[in-house]
Coordinates of all heavy atoms in Angstrom, one line a residue:
A58 N -50.5 2.7 2.7 CA -51.0 1.6 3.5 C -52.0 2.2 4.6 O -51.6 2.8 5.6 CB -49.9 0.9 4.2
K60 N -53.7 1.0 6.9 CA -53.7 0.6 8.3 C -52.9 1.6 9.2 O -53.2 1.6 10.4 CB -53.1 -0.8 8.4 CG -51.7 -0.9 7.9 CD -51.0 -2.2 8.2 CE -51.5 -3.3 7.2 NZ -50.9 -3.1 5.9
A61 N -52.0 2.3 8.6 CA -51.1 3.2 9.4 C -51.9 4.3 10.1 O -51.7 4.7 11.2 CB -50.0 3.7 8.6
D79 N -53.2 0.8 -0.2 CA -53.1 -0.6 0.1 C -54.0 -0.9 1.3 O -53.9 -0.3 2.3 CB -51.6 -0.8 0.5 CG -51.4 -2.2 1.2 OD1 -51.9 -3.2 0.6 OD2 -50.8 -2.3 2.3
S102 N -54.1 -6.4 0.2 CA -53.1 -7.3 0.9 C -53.8 -8.0 2.0 O -54.9 -7.7 2.4 CB -51.9 -6.6 1.5 OG -51.3 -5.8 0.4
R149 N -48.0 -12.8 -3.2 CA -47.1 -12.2 -2.2 C -46.1 -13.3 -1.9 O -46.4 -14.3 -1.3 CB -47.8 -11.8 -1.0 CG -46.9 -11.3 0.1 CD -47.6 -10.6 1.2 NE -46.6 -10.2 2.2 CZ -47.1 -9.6 3.3 NH1 -48.3 -9.3 3.5 NH2 -46.2 -9.3 4.3
I162 N -43.1 -7.1 13.9 CA -43.5 -6.4 12.6 C -42.5 -6.8 11.5 O -42.4 -6.1 10.5 CB -43.5 -4.8 12.9 CG1 -42.1 -4.3 13.5 CG2 -44.6 -4.4 13.7 CD1 -42.1 -2.8 13.6
H199 N -43.5 -8.0 0.8 CA -43.4 -7.0 1.9 C -42.7 -7.7 3.1 O -43.3 -8.6 3.6 CB -44.8 -6.4 2.3 CG -44.8 -5.6 3.5 ND1 -44.4 -4.2 3.5 CD2 -45.0 -5.9 4.8 CE1 -44.5 -3.8 4.8 NE2 -44.8 -4.8 5.6
G201 N -41.4 -6.3 6.1 CA -41.6 -5.9 7.5 C -41.7 -4.4 7.5 O -41.7 -3.7 6.5
S202 N -41.7 -3.9 8.7 CA -42.0 -2.4 8.9 C -40.8 -1.8 9.8 O -40.2 -2.5 10.6 CB -43.3 -2.3 9.7 OG -43.8 -1.0 9.6
Q203 N -40.7 -0.5 9.7 CA -39.6 0.2 10.4 C -38.2 -0.3 10.0 O -37.4 -0.6 10.9 CB -39.9 0.2 11.9 CG -39.0 1.1 12.8 CD -38.9 2.6 12.4 OE1 -39.6 3.1 11.6 NE2 -37.9 3.2 12.9
G237 N -43.8 -3.5 -1.6 CA -44.3 -3.3 -0.3 C -44.0 -2.0 0.3 O -43.6 -1.0 -0.3
G238 N -44.2 -1.9 1.7 CA -43.9 -0.7 2.4 C -42.7 -1.0 3.3 O -41.8 -1.7 2.9
G239 N -42.7 -0.4 4.5 CA -41.7 -0.8 5.4 C -40.6 0.2 5.7 O -39.8 0.0 6.6
L240 N -40.5 1.3 4.9 CA -39.4 2.2 5.2 C -39.6 2.9 6.5 O -40.7 3.4 6.9 CB -39.4 3.3 4.1 CG -38.3 4.3 4.1 CD1 -36.9 3.6 4.0 CD2 -38.4 5.3 3.0
E273 N -46.0 0.4 -1.0 CA -47.1 0.4 -0.1 C -46.6 1.1 1.2 O -46.7 0.6 2.3 CB -47.5 -1.0 0.3 CG -47.9 -1.9 -0.9 CD -48.1 -3.4 -0.5 OE1 -47.9 -3.7 0.7 OE2 -48.4 -4.2 -1.4
P274 N -46.2 2.4 1.1 CA -45.7 3.0 2.3 C -46.8 3.5 3.3 O -47.9 4.0 2.8 CB -45.0 4.3 1.8 CG -45.7 4.6 0.5 CD -46.1 3.3 0.0
G275 N -46.6 3.2 4.6 CA -47.6 3.7 5.5 C -46.9 4.6 6.5 O -47.1 5.9 6.4
R276 N -46.1 4.1 7.4 CA -45.4 4.8 8.4 C -44.7 6.1 7.9 O -44.8 7.2 8.5 CB -44.5 3.9 9.2 CG -43.9 4.5 10.4 CD -42.8 3.7 11.0 NE -43.0 2.3 11.0 CZ -43.5 1.6 12.1 NH1 -43.7 2.3 13.2 NH2 -43.6 0.3 12.1
S277 N -44.0 5.9 6.8 CA -43.1 7.0 6.3 C -43.9 8.1 5.8 O -43.4 9.2 5.5 CB -42.1 6.4 5.3 OG -42.8 5.7 4.3
R312 N -48.1 1.5 21.2 CA -46.8 1.1 20.7 C -45.7 0.9 21.8 O -45.0 -0.2 21.7 CB -46.3 2.1 19.6 CG -47.2 2.3 18.4 CD -46.5 3.0 17.3 NE -45.5 2.2 16.7 CZ -44.2 2.4 16.9 NH1 -43.8 3.4 17.6 NH2 -43.4 1.6 16.3
Y316 N -44.5 -3.0 21.6 CA -43.3 -3.2 20.9 C -42.1 -2.6 21.6 O -41.0 -2.4 21.0 CB -43.3 -2.5 19.5 CG -44.5 -2.8 18.6 CD1 -45.4 -1.7 18.4 CD2 -44.8 -4.0 18.2 CE1 -46.5 -1.9 17.6 CE2 -45.9 -4.2 17.4 CZ -46.8 -3.1 17.1 OH -47.9 -3.3 16.3
Y371 N -49.9 4.2 13.3 CA -50.1 3.1 14.2 C -50.4 3.6 15.6 O -50.0 2.9 16.6 CB -48.9 2.1 14.1 CG -48.6 1.6 12.7 CD1 -47.5 2.0 12.0 CD2 -49.6 0.8 12.1 CE1 -47.3 1.5 10.8 CE2 -49.4 0.3 10.8 CZ -48.2 0.7 10.1 OH -48.0 0.2 8.9
M375 N -54.6 2.0 16.1 CA -54.5 0.8 17.0 C -55.2 1.1 18.3 O -55.0 0.3 19.3 CB -53.0 0.4 17.2 CG -52.4 0.0 16.0 SD -50.6 -0.5 16.2 CE -50.8 -2.1 16.9
Ligands
LLP1 N1 -47.9 -3.4 3.2 C1 -48.2 -4.5 4.0 C2 -48.6 -5.7 3.3 C3 -48.1 -4.4 5.4 O1 -48.3 -5.4 6.2 C4 -47.7 -3.1 5.9 C5 -47.6 -3.0 7.4 C6 -47.4 -2.1 5.1 C7 -47.5 -2.3 3.7 C8 -47.0 -0.7 5.6 O2 -45.8 -0.8 6.2 P1 -45.1 0.6 6.7 O3 -44.6 1.4 5.5 O4 -46.1 1.3 7.5 O5 -43.9 0.1 7.5 N2 -48.2 -1.6 14.2 C9 -46.8 -1.6 13.9 C10 -46.5 -1.7 12.5 C11 -47.3 -2.8 11.8 C12 -47.0 -2.9 10.3 C13 -48.0 -3.8 9.7 N3 -47.8 -3.9 8.2 C14 -46.1 -0.5 14.6 O6 -46.7 0.3 15.3 O7 -44.8 -0.4 14.5

Side-chain angles (χ1 to χ4, degrees):
K60 64 171 78 71
D79 168 47
S102 303
R149 175 168 176 183
I162 55 176
H199 169 84
S202 195
Q203 186 55 12
L240 185 59
E273 306 169 0
R276 190 191 312 267
S277 50
R312 302 193 68 257
Y316 314 112
Y371 302 113
M375 297 178 77

